[in-house]
Amino acid sequence: MSQYPILAFLAGAGRDDPGRDGAGRTLRDILAFDDAHIEGVHDYIQWCFPLHEASLAVPGAPVLSRAEAEAIRNDPAALSGLRAALGRMTRFYAETEGWLRSHDHNHLRITRILSAVSDLLGPEAAAEFHAFVTARNAGAGAPVNGPSLRYWDNALRRA
């Protein structure tokens, strides 16, 4: 296994020997998930959008080290994979309505996405995703609870 398994996973879509997540899936496998899989499977998001702290929802999920984060930031293939994952999740949130309610596990996913994207792709990419999800929420009558919205805002400020 690579010294940097998250980097190998994110960069793997264009390589002969792609990295795999803890369930043996490649990024390409996850990008091909239909919306039901995106909604119902809970152990891929930590690989697509890694953080520097352990996941409370998925014990054993990878934790991003500072060195691996720097390696991802300097690897065009890994950044391309991260952008592809962001695009897939943006499409999911654009095409589905289930997360547009007061409380939903997707609110935690959105916080994770904002934090990881801000850290690895930069604050502009995170701000663009933030603007998208908050506009989507506003267009649905603003059903998302205030604490979730504050977490999303705070994820941008930590960058």
Side-chain angles (χ1 to χ4, degrees), residues 4-116:
Y4 296 132
I6 302 167
L7 179 138
F9 172 78
L10 290 172
R15 297 193 174 158
D16 291 336
D17 184 21
R20 295 181 183 276
D21 70 3
R25 299 169 298 220
T26 65
L27 178 59
R28 185 172 294 159
D29 295 333
I30 291 168
L31 294 176
F33 279 1
D34 61 20
D35 287 344
H37 276 85
I38 291 288
E39 177 62 29
V41 177
H42 298 278
D43 63 350
Y44 67 88
I45 201 83
Q46 295 80 8
W47 284 87
C48 292
F49 302 98
L51 299 178
H52 295 282
E53 56 268 352
S55 169
L56 298 175
V58 180
V63 175
L64 186 64
S65 70
R66 300 237 177 265
E68 188 168 15
E70 190 61 30
I72 290 168
R73 286 185 209 104
N74 291 309
D75 187 305
L79 294 175
S80 178
L82 182 57
R83 284 187 195 95
L86 179 60
R88 177 63 187 101
M89 294 308 294
T90 299
R91 194 171 85 239
F92 172 76
Y93 292 125
E95 296 175 352
T96 64
E97 306 277 325
W99 65 279
L100 291 166
R101 55 185 166 196
S102 180
H103 292 84
D104 189 82
H105 71 100
N106 280 290
H107 303 172
L108 294 172
R109 286 180 173 179
I110 290 168
T111 302
R112 172 179 279 277
I113 292 167
L114 287 165
S115 295

